[in-house]
Amino acid sequence: MELPQMPELMGLSLLLGLLALMATAAVARGWLRAEEETGSRSAGQKANGFPPDKSLKSKKQKQHQRIRKEKPQQHNFTHRLLAAALKSHSGNISCMDFSSNGKYLATCADDRTVRIWSTKDFLQREHRSLRANVELDHATLVRFSPDCRAFIVWLANGDTLRVFKMTKREDGGYTFTANPEDFPKKHKAPVINIGIADTGKFIMTVSSDTTILIWNLKGHVLSTINTNQMNNTYAAISPCSRFVASCGFTPDVKVWEVCFGKKGDFQEVVRAFELKGHSAAVHFFAFSNDSRRMASVSKDGTWKLWDTDVEYKKQQDPYLLRTGCFEEASTMLCRLALSPDAQVLALASGSSIHLYNTRRGEKEECFEQVHGECITDLSFDITGRLLASCGDRAVRLFHNTPGHRAVVEEMQGLLKRASNESTRQRLQQQLTQAQEALRSLGALKK
């Protein structure tokens, strides 16, 4: 075997050595450039009065930590009719509910808490609240029990109902205890509302498909309702606890009666009546406090007020009392709230609220950009004097001036027809109270 010649070996060695030198020089040049940049940055920091960083990596980590810790700024809103803003939640509020005795307001948010507020503090400078923690989940919906000793929530991740009992302590506070077992999972689509009948006989849950479930308080399904509305956008129990109503893709509101026997045993759910008159899908509806009036808002750009005090078992249909225009409803989802006496209708679209007098159909107040996010819930308190809304991390409460004006108009009309002095005195007292309320808010029309 022949060995390679020496000149060829020497040439190969020289070539490899030259390549190694070039690589070493390139690495050294890059290292020197990095050192110069670091040195110039440190010199600039010294010139500005700052000590040089020991580690660029640690500085970036601190910046990321600082950004993570900074909370988003709270949306600022002011208005002459703003009565209060409740600001204890650290997450966006999705739902709220006034207790039947009027003493409390419950709110739930994605910060894994439910807060119970005292309504007597609403017009004070400080607003007290009690916190109930939702372990390993957060609530999207909340409702008080009729006796105000418990509340139910819908769990976002668990997709089920959880019951919390409220136990009063000696110091006047409350202890909140979740029931050991949640309700069984039955819905196949996202749940959009829950409710408890004021009689305490049943619970309702509704999902975005076409399903409404009627439960007893122990978590057993009593009845399943198929709304046949393509999809549901809302459903609720009437204040009288007789009815469950729903709306959705179809241009009507369907109402069922939940029937119980004389001994309180569940019997059946039967169709009661429908609200027919809209020409497009219905976004939302609400009952008056006595369940004798209902209001609805539709994608056809109108709202309607109905007289539902009818003998539906004799095939009597509800009467349409008033139709109003609300063009925002034709382009976006809307919510509404009806005052307890049905005199005022509140409509929410996006982050704005509009108040209408239902007797004349006229818009009387408008609150724009109330929240930093779209409004998620809207409700009058049981007195009808305050309107509450939520959409970001705060609940905002407004004075219901259209409600006071409606009382003034009604009392003035009744005074003209009053026949005896005692009636006139009572009406005059109510008139004076409403006028004083408007005067104190700077809303009394001359």
Side-chain angles (χ1 to χ4, degrees):
M1 182 174 64
E2 294 184 3
L3 294 172
Q5 295 180 0
M6 290 299 293
E8 293 179 358
L9 285 173
M10 290 178 64
L12 184 61
S13 299
L14 288 171
L15 180 61
L16 291 173
L18 182 61
L19 289 173
L21 285 171
M22 291 175 65
T24 304
V27 172
R29 193 180 300 113
W31 180 79
L32 287 171
R33 187 181 297 115
E35 284 292 315
E36 289 174 359
E37 290 178 357
T38 304
S40 62
R41 190 178 297 114
S42 298
Q45 288 174 336
K46 287 181 180 179
N48 290 318
F50 295 101
D53 285 345
K54 294 181 179 179
S55 171
L56 293 175
K57 186 177 180 181
S58 64
K59 181 179 178 181
K60 289 181 179 179
Q61 288 176 344
K62 289 179 180 178
Q63 287 177 343
H64 288 310
Q65 289 174 357
R66 194 178 299 115
I67 292 170
R68 198 181 299 119
K69 288 178 181 178
E70 287 178 358
K71 293 181 179 179
Q73 290 185 352
Q74 183 75 277
H75 177 72
N76 291 321
F77 173 82
T78 58
H79 194 279
R80 61 183 177 83
L81 296 181
L82 182 65
L86 312 180
K87 300 179 180 180
S88 287
H89 279 289
S90 60
N92 286 345
I93 302 169
S94 57
C95 185
M96 57 188 177
D97 187 46
F98 284 99
S99 61
S100 59
N101 60 12
K103 293 182 178 181
Y104 307 108
L105 172 68
T107 57
C108 65
D110 58 13
D111 58 7
R112 295 186 174 183
T113 67
V114 174
R115 289 193 175 269
I116 309 297
W117 308 81
S118 173
T119 57
K120 68 179 182 181
D121 296 336
F122 282 175
L123 301 183
Q124 305 300 320
R125 297 188 67 178
E126 295 185 2
H127 307 115
R128 295 178 297 171
S129 68
L130 300 172
R131 185 182 69 188
N133 295 320
V134 182
E135 298 296 336
L136 305 175
D137 211 325
H138 72 270
T140 57
L141 299 163
V142 60
R143 294 288 179 261
F144 273 111
S145 64
D147 61 5
C148 308
R149 295 179 180 177
F151 59 86
I152 61 172
V153 299
W154 186 261
L155 300 178
N157 300 322
D159 289 326
T160 186
L161 274 176
R162 179 172 293 174
V163 180
F164 284 83
K165 293 182 179 179
M166 302 168 56
T167 307
K168 198 162 188 177
R169 301 194 304 261
E170 293 181 358
D171 61 1
Y174 280 91
T175 299
F176 305 102
T177 308
N179 275 12
E181 294 185 7
D182 298 330
F183 276 37
K185 296 181 181 181
K186 296 292 184 179
H187 283 282
K188 297 179 181 179
V191 166
I192 55 177
N193 197 28
I194 60 176
I196 307 180
D198 280 353
T199 56
K201 291 182 178 179
F202 68 93
I203 291 172
M204 178 221 68
T205 57
V206 55
S207 51
S208 59
D209 46 13
T210 60
T211 305
I212 298 176
L213 296 181
I214 306 299
W215 310 71
N216 66 13
L217 301 187
K218 295 181 178 179
H220 300 296
V221 175
L222 300 175
S223 180
T224 301
I225 303 171
N226 183 359
T227 63
N228 292 313
Q229 292 176 309
M230 299 291 286
N231 66 278
N232 299 326
T233 56
Y234 186 67
I237 303 173
S238 64
C240 68
S241 299
R242 288 179 61 191
F243 305 113
V244 168
S246 74
C247 63
F249 183 77
T250 58
D252 50 20
V253 178
K254 296 182 179 180
V255 184
W256 292 265
E257 182 178 4
V258 183
C259 303
F260 286 84
K262 293 182 179 180
K263 295 182 179 180
D265 54 316
F266 172 76
Q267 293 184 331
E268 60 179 344
V269 176
V270 296
R271 179 72 69 86
F273 54 87
E274 295 181 6
L275 305 182
K276 296 181 178 180
H278 286 293
S279 59
V282 178
H283 294 311
F284 214 85
F285 66 86
F287 291 91
S288 64
N289 195 46
D290 59 6
S291 303
R292 297 172 62 184
R293 298 286 186 271
M294 288 182 70
S296 58
V297 60
S298 166
K299 194 176 180 180
D300 63 12
T302 67
W303 60 265
K304 295 180 184 293
L305 182 71
W306 310 82
D307 179 355
T308 54
D309 186 20
V310 297
E311 294 186 55
Y312 60 89
K313 292 182 179 179
K314 297 181 180 180
Q315 309 303 314
Q316 187 178 6
D317 293 324
Y319 299 101
L320 179 61
L321 299 176
R322 176 74 61 186
T323 297
C325 182
F326 189 61
E327 294 181 359
E328 290 87 342
S330 61
T331 57
M332 65 178 71
L333 289 173
C334 299
R335 304 183 70 89
L336 67 78
L338 189 61
S339 63
D341 59 5
Q343 298 276 20
V344 181
L345 177 67
L347 289 161
S349 61
S351 60
S352 300
I353 301 172
H354 310 261
L355 299 184
Y356 288 81
N357 178 302
T358 57
R359 184 177 295 181
R360 300 188 308 274
E362 298 175 358
K363 184 193 292 189
E364 294 201 5
E365 300 288 352
C366 180
F367 312 124
E368 295 184 347
Q369 296 181 346
V370 177
H371 296 278
E373 307 285 344
C374 288
I375 292 171
T376 54
D377 209 351
L378 192 67
S379 178
F380 286 93
D381 74 333
I382 65 169
T383 68
R385 296 173 184 171
L386 295 173
L387 173 68
S389 68
C390 62
D392 44 28
R393 290 181 288 142
V395 173
R396 289 186 168 83
L397 299 155
F398 296 90
H399 293 287
N400 180 17
T401 51
H404 293 304
R405 293 192 194 105
V407 171
V408 170
E409 294 175 13
E410 184 180 14
M411 294 304 108
Q412 287 174 340
L414 292 174
L415 272 171
K416 293 178 181 178
R417 300 190 298 271
S419 56
N420 59 68
E421 186 61 25
S422 62
T423 302
R424 289 182 61 84
Q425 288 180 355
R426 178 175 53 82
L427 295 174
Q428 184 61 50
Q429 183 180 8
Q430 290 178 277
L431 174 61
T432 302
Q433 289 175 347
Q435 289 174 332
E436 286 298 324
L438 288 170
R439 187 176 291 109
S440 66
L441 298 170
L444 183 63
K445 295 181 179 180
K446 296 181 180 180

